[in-house]
């Protein structure tokens, strides 16, 4: 298995570290993935942590040339169906997620269960708070949007959302349910980017072996 990293910032360097620790070949890292030799690309899984603008420009190239693609970039929800159709058209496996942290994906599952239970109980209003470093471009975060989708699907309520951008916070997400007599909260706090990188590498391994299709990471990580 070979991996090429698209976006060689802090996340790209962390992914390279995890690949080396796992004995997985890193065949390159690029700020311009479209410059990759197509012959090399077809042998590789691409892990993308770039920007929303880069994904919008690059996804046709990724879908056409790579063996499989893992997209950790967020902020492109408005073209999600367009991107999915492109990958399906070219028969290229894509695994995407608003957050590749294993702990966050546990949070997604717990949020679904809690939302379902409180919808039956009634009397609770949901809210979401997320905090990230000052360099993060999108707000609310993709993770917060996923949490909101889960809550809305299970309760029919649209949770109020608040975003904070400050310092070098790797990521803190809190989902809360406010009742008349009590409050229930679930919080995930990332200590570093390593958890995201580890999950992305796990996704790349799956992309190398799963049947060609498009997958949401949270739906396959515990299979």
């Amino acid at each position: 298995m070979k991996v090429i990293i698209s976006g060689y910032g802090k996340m790209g360097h962390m992914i390279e570290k995890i690949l080396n620790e796992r004995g997985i070949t890193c065949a390159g890292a690029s700020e311009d993935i479209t410059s990759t030799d197509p012959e090399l690309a077809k042998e590789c899984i691409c892990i993308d942590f770039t920007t929303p603008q880069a994904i919008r420009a690059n996804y046709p190239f990724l879908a056409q040339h790579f063996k499989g693609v893992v997209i950790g970039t967020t902020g492109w929800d408005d073209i999600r169906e367009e991107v999915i159709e492109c990958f399906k058209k070219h028969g290229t496996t894509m695994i995407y997620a608003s957050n590749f942290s294993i702990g966050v994906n546990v949070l997604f599952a717990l949020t679904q269960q809690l939302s379902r239970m409180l919808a039956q109980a009634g009397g609770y209003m949901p809210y979401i708070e997320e905090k990230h470093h000052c360099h993060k471009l999108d707000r609310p975060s993709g993770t917060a949007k996923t949490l909101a989708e889960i809550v809305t699907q299970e309760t029919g309520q649209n949770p109020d959302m608040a975003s904070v951008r400050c310092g070098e916070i790797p990521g803190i997400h809190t989902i809360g349910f406010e009742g008349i007599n009590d409050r229930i909260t679930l919080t995930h706090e990332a200590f570093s980017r390593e958890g995201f990188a580890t999950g992305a590498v796990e996704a790349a391994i799956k992309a190398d072996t799963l049947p060609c299709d498009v997958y949401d990471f949270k739906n396959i990580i515990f299979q």
Side-chain angles (χ1 to χ4, degrees), residues 106-161:
V106 172
L107 178 66
F108 291 154
L110 292 174
T111 298
Q112 183 178 36
Q113 183 177 0
L114 182 58
S115 298
R116 191 173 297 160
M117 294 172 69
L118 294 182
Q120 293 176 355
Y124 286 86
M125 294 181 63
Y127 66 89
I128 295 168
E129 180 183 66
E130 56 97 354
K131 300 177 182 178
H132 282 89
H133 51 83
C134 60
H135 314 290
K136 187 168 178 61
L137 300 178
D138 55 322
R139 67 164 69 199
S141 68
T143 303
K145 290 179 180 178
T146 299
L147 289 167
E149 289 173 3
I150 293 169
V151 171
T152 301
Q153 181 178 356
E154 297 296 336
T155 69
Q157 299 183 74
N158 294 317
D160 191 49
M161 292 199 283

Side-chain angles (χ1 to χ4, degrees), residues 36-221:
T36 305
D37 180 353
E39 290 301 310
L40 174 63
K42 70 181 182 181
E43 301 175 358
C44 297
I45 304 297
C46 176
I47 300 180
D48 183 285
F49 277 89
T50 53
T51 66
Q53 293 77 16
I55 281 293
R56 292 168 194 276
N58 297 340
Y59 79 83
F61 181 89
L62 296 173
Q64 183 175 352
H65 295 291
F66 278 89
K67 180 180 181 181
V69 178
V70 172
I71 300 181
T73 306
T74 59
W76 50 278
D77 284 357
D78 57 312
I79 61 167
R80 184 191 302 179
E81 293 306 316
E82 176 183 328
V83 173
I84 288 173
E85 286 305 312
C86 183
F87 274 84
K88 288 188 174 183
K89 173 185 174 182
H90 290 286
T92 302
T93 295
M94 179 181 85
I95 301 178
Y96 69 97
S98 58
N99 195 313
F100 278 101
S101 162
I102 304 302
V104 165
N105 282 273
V106 172
L107 178 66
F108 291 154
L110 292 174
T111 298
Q112 183 178 36
Q113 183 177 0
L114 182 58
S115 298
R116 191 173 297 160
M117 294 172 69
L118 294 182
Q120 293 176 355
Y124 286 86
M125 294 181 63
Y127 66 89
I128 295 168
E129 180 183 66
E130 56 97 354
K131 300 177 182 178
H132 282 89
H133 51 83
C134 60
H135 314 290
K136 187 168 178 61
L137 300 178
D138 55 322
R139 67 164 69 199
S141 68
T143 303
K145 290 179 180 178
T146 299
L147 289 167
E149 289 173 3
I150 293 169
V151 171
T152 301
Q153 181 178 356
E154 297 296 336
T155 69
Q157 299 183 74
N158 294 317
D160 191 49
M161 292 199 283
S163 299
V164 173
R165 297 289 177 266
C166 186
E168 298 296 333
I169 303 170
I172 304 173
H173 292 87
T174 297
I175 172 73
F177 292 88
E178 190 83 7
I180 296 175
N181 300 311
D182 54 15
R183 176 187 305 119
I184 302 171
T185 61
L186 296 171
T187 296
H188 176 275
E189 179 174 355
F191 299 146
S192 72
R193 293 176 173 84
E194 188 164 353
F196 311 135
T198 299
V201 171
E202 289 293 335
I205 294 170
K206 287 183 176 294
D208 192 49
T209 58
L210 285 170
C212 292
D213 206 342
V214 175
Y215 302 90
D216 186 331
F217 187 62
K218 69 180 180 351
N219 295 331
I220 61 172
I221 182 56

